[in-house]
Amino acid sequence: MNVAGLAAVALAASLGLSACGGDDAKASDGTFTVGHSEPDHLMPANTTGSYAFDVITELFDNLMDLTKDGKAVPLAAESVTSDDQKVWTIKVKAGQKFHNGEPVTAQSFADAWNNAAYGPNAMGANDYFSYIKGYEDLNPEDENAKPKADKLSGIEVVDQDTLKVTLNDPFSQFPLLLTYPAYAPMPKAGLKDPKAFDDHPIGNGPYMMDGNWERNKQVKLVAFPGYTGARKPKNKGVTWKSYSSADTAYTDLRAGRIDVLQTIPSAKVPEAKRLLGDRFLARKMSTTDYLGLPVFDKRFANPDLRKAISMAIDRQGVNKAVYNGSYFPADSLIPSIIPGHRANACGELCTYDPAKARQLFDKAGGFSGTLELYFSNAQPTYAQWMRIVANSLRDNLGIKDIQFRQVPASDYFSLLGDRKEKGPYRQNWEADYPSPQNYLENMWGSAGNRMGWKSTEFDDLIAKANKTSDQQQANALYNQAEDVAIREMPMIPLWTWAGEGGRSKRVDNVTITPFSTGLIATEVTVK
């Protein structure tokens, strides 16, 4: 109640500032400011968070990039080719430099990838390198065992501009994987002092750091004058300002203190549409919310319990109550804009059926103890819909002892990665690249899923799909794997987001993609 009251006061203050010409109050220096949540890391291989990607994708040019419609095209690479999809030859464009003047070579990528894949370095995106031959030697199953090697045997620097990469198996999605931020290059200075690099990344992208990362405040970037790539900025710089409250970020957008907000809090969307007009930015999204279940906890081991929880949740009701009816209740594990989506693949398990949910709950033997629900503070809506879910579980399943665990956004994924959650948790996924493999293997694959769920049948179908060069045939196999995950429901699909952002009057040409690339900062023009 008190928080809502404070938000109302803040909004009233912003109305005054906006009426006084807040959008025009800032003298144009050619830069602009974007609001988002605090990143966890800025070293590309040490994060899987979209708030970190906001910054990293502007600091680094990967070998491949995604077009606005999700096609993989060369960026730092001259070409990426393979005859068998297992051995790949990569030609790096000559003449590129890091922000400190060091040349970008094939060795720059090899060094970065070896550093990311080496288990003792404990990089957050380590798993993304498991496709490359030799990964197991850098990551022994026994965490206390010393790795057999510190470099991936599947990476060979042929010459200054040529990299030969051998994978464990044919992998048709490899060019798409190369767009993922963790596959960025690193200069020697970054390898020598990783901590300093996390505070002040030295990339090869269109922007460079303007001072160190000011934690819990902002990251300032300016255009890199030595940039020779395809993403030359149409502005002089961008500041990513950190917020612990999305409501405050929206208030600052209204007041002209920031220029772009990619996600406006749902409760403010009707007002934002009215006040921003054509500066309200609606778009399709790939971000889908899920409710993960800690299957490693025996209380959640029974699939019938997990199905009961899924069928006790009124997705459409949450959508209307929290998201103004603009979100899309999930009918599949994969959102509709991703190739391979099947309408109603989830069937009755994604429908609201309290009676059937109770039958499954009783069949599973019920639930004992405190049910703890985990979510971050990145968006106020997370707490809102968790309360509705909690009420549904109380009313429909009879679970009375439910507690909420709200965690700072910058700590949330570390908590999940360490499997410290003791109950269902909010999980979402924004497409790194538009492939069903990106959703299914990364979130349900036995090698690294957060639920502790293991299925040989699922893993084998994913592996078979990955080796299939024909995309339609591959999608059919991904769908079979999806059916296995739905059947056992270790993670419950909830809804896909509707993109609802906004911009100030100072900026134009604002494009936000539905993928991990997010805002295309280089194209933004500043008045």
Side-chain angles (χ1 to χ4, degrees):
M1 292 292 289
N2 289 334
V3 172
L6 288 172
V9 171
L11 181 58
S14 76
L15 288 169
L17 284 170
S18 185
C20 292
D23 277 312
D24 303 320
K26 182 179 177 182
S28 179
D29 59 0
T31 71
F32 67 103
T33 302
V34 190
H36 73 160
S37 294
E38 174 78 353
D40 54 353
H41 290 284
L42 294 184
M43 179 180 282
N46 202 19
T47 181
T48 58
S50 59
Y51 309 125
F53 294 168
D54 288 337
V55 180
I56 291 170
T57 54
E58 309 306 338
L59 289 171
F60 294 86
D61 270 6
N62 276 34
L63 290 164
M64 300 290 284
D65 191 21
L66 287 177
T67 61
K68 293 176 185 176
D69 59 355
K71 292 184 173 57
V73 295
L75 184 59
E78 192 71 46
S79 62
V80 176
T81 57
S82 176
D83 293 329
D84 59 5
Q85 300 190 60
K86 182 175 181 179
V87 180
W88 294 82
T89 299
I90 299 170
K91 293 286 186 181
V92 179
K93 284 180 182 174
Q96 300 175 82
K97 291 184 177 179
F98 286 103
H99 303 152
N100 64 355
E102 181 182 329
V104 178
T105 65
Q107 190 67 54
S108 309
F109 288 94
D111 289 344
W113 300 358
N114 284 323
N115 182 69
Y118 187 55
N121 289 340
M123 291 289 149
N126 169 288
D127 290 350
Y128 281 78
F129 295 87
S130 62
Y131 302 95
I132 301 175
K133 187 178 179 182
Y135 174 84
E136 290 76 12
D137 290 340
L138 278 64
N139 296 273
E141 287 190 20
D142 182 354
E143 293 181 355
N144 297 316
K146 184 179 179 181
K148 295 178 182 176
D150 61 1
K151 292 181 177 56
L152 293 159
S153 60
I155 296 179
E156 178 187 351
V157 177
V158 178
D159 58 41
Q160 179 169 298
D161 300 323
T162 308
L163 201 59
K164 181 180 174 183
V165 181
T166 302
L167 307 180
N168 290 316
D169 296 293
F171 184 36
S172 59
Q173 314 295 300
F174 189 61
L176 285 165
L177 181 65
L178 290 175
T179 69
Y180 189 64
Y183 275 81
M186 279 182 73
K188 291 182 174 57
L191 297 163
K192 186 178 180 180
D193 191 344
K195 185 176 183 306
F197 189 75
D198 201 38
D199 285 335
H200 191 115
I202 302 166
N204 62 326
Y207 296 95
M208 61 183 188
M209 297 289 288
D210 183 11
N212 287 348
W213 173 11
E214 300 174 63
R215 291 178 187 267
N216 297 305
K217 183 179 179 184
Q218 62 186 5
V219 183
K220 296 182 72 173
L221 310 179
V222 293
F224 172 40
Y227 183 68
T228 58
R231 301 194 296 156
K232 193 171 181 60
K234 296 177 181 176
N235 51 71
K236 293 184 178 179
V238 52
T239 295
W240 288 91
K241 186 174 179 180
S242 294
Y243 288 89
S244 59
S245 162
D247 283 338
T248 305
Y250 171 66
T251 298
D252 279 3
L253 177 69
R254 287 280 318 277
R257 289 190 285 267
I258 62 174
D259 298 301
V260 180
L261 185 61
Q262 298 182 87
T263 301
I264 291 173
S266 292
K268 309 295 185 185
V269 164
E271 174 193 87
K273 286 181 177 177
R274 185 175 73 255
L275 296 177
L276 297 179
D278 64 357
R279 292 184 288 114
F280 180 82
L281 306 172
R283 66 191 189 280
K284 292 182 178 178
M285 291 191 74
S286 63
T287 305
T288 300
D289 281 342
Y290 304 86
L291 191 67
L293 297 156
V295 176
F296 55 81
D297 181 332
K298 63 181 181 183
R299 297 178 302 166
F300 299 94
N302 192 321
D304 284 334
L305 173 71
R306 306 192 294 258
K307 295 174 188 175
I309 292 174
S310 178
M311 298 185 74
I313 298 172
D314 182 0
R315 293 166 177 76
Q316 189 59 264
V318 172
N319 181 34
K320 291 178 179 176
V322 179
Y323 298 113
N324 311 300
S326 61
Y327 277 30
F328 305 93
D331 63 354
S332 162
L333 303 187
I334 305 166
S336 61
I337 70 166
I338 301 298
H341 166 83
R342 294 172 296 160
N344 203 30
C346 188
E348 70 166 4
L349 295 180
C350 286
T351 60
Y352 180 53
D353 188 338
K356 184 68 179 288
R358 186 67 194 225
Q359 289 176 14
L360 288 166
F361 184 73
D362 292 341
K363 181 182 175 186
F367 180 85
S368 60
T370 301
L371 183 69
E372 299 177 61
L373 298 175
Y374 288 74
F375 52 97
S376 81
N377 65 350
Q379 291 287 332
T381 51
Y382 300 163
Q384 294 169 22
W385 68 252
M386 272 294 189
R387 290 191 192 99
I388 297 174
V389 167
N391 288 335
S392 295
L393 299 181
R394 287 190 187 98
D395 295 343
N396 298 326
L397 301 182
I399 303 174
K400 302 300 181 187
D401 185 6
I402 299 178
Q403 302 290 326
F404 299 108
R405 302 287 181 247
Q406 188 172 35
V407 181
S410 56
D411 299 332
Y412 188 64
F413 293 114
S414 297
L415 180 145
L416 298 182
D418 294 338
R419 290 187 178 169
K420 292 183 178 177
E421 74 277 16
K422 299 176 182 175
Y425 57 92
R426 176 195 166 270
Q427 166 78 59
N428 79 343
W429 191 265
E430 177 184 40
D432 300 323
Y433 44 83
S435 165
Q437 173 271 332
N438 181 239
Y439 282 79
L440 297 172
E441 186 170 16
N442 285 284
M443 289 203 293
W444 281 268
S446 298
N449 73 64
R450 288 169 172 155
M451 301 87 75
W453 178 67
K454 294 187 182 300
S455 169
T456 302
E457 183 183 6
F458 177 90
D459 292 340
D460 289 348
L461 285 163
I462 292 292
K464 194 173 179 181
N466 287 347
K467 296 175 185 175
T468 304
S469 58
D470 182 276
Q471 195 57 51
Q472 282 193 334
Q473 293 178 16
N475 286 348
L477 291 163
Y478 288 131
N479 289 155
Q480 291 181 39
E482 181 186 21
D483 289 340
V484 174
I486 290 171
R487 190 178 71 214
E488 298 202 19
M489 200 60 84
M491 184 157 56
I492 299 167
L494 296 174
W495 39 76
T496 299
W497 292 25
E500 296 168 324
R503 65 173 176 85
S504 74
K505 295 176 182 174
R506 293 184 64 248
V507 296
D508 206 345
N509 299 307
V510 177
T511 299
I512 305 170
T513 76
F515 314 114
S516 61
T517 41
L519 172 70
I520 303 179
T522 53
E523 293 190 356
V524 175
T525 54
V526 183
K527 296 175 182 173

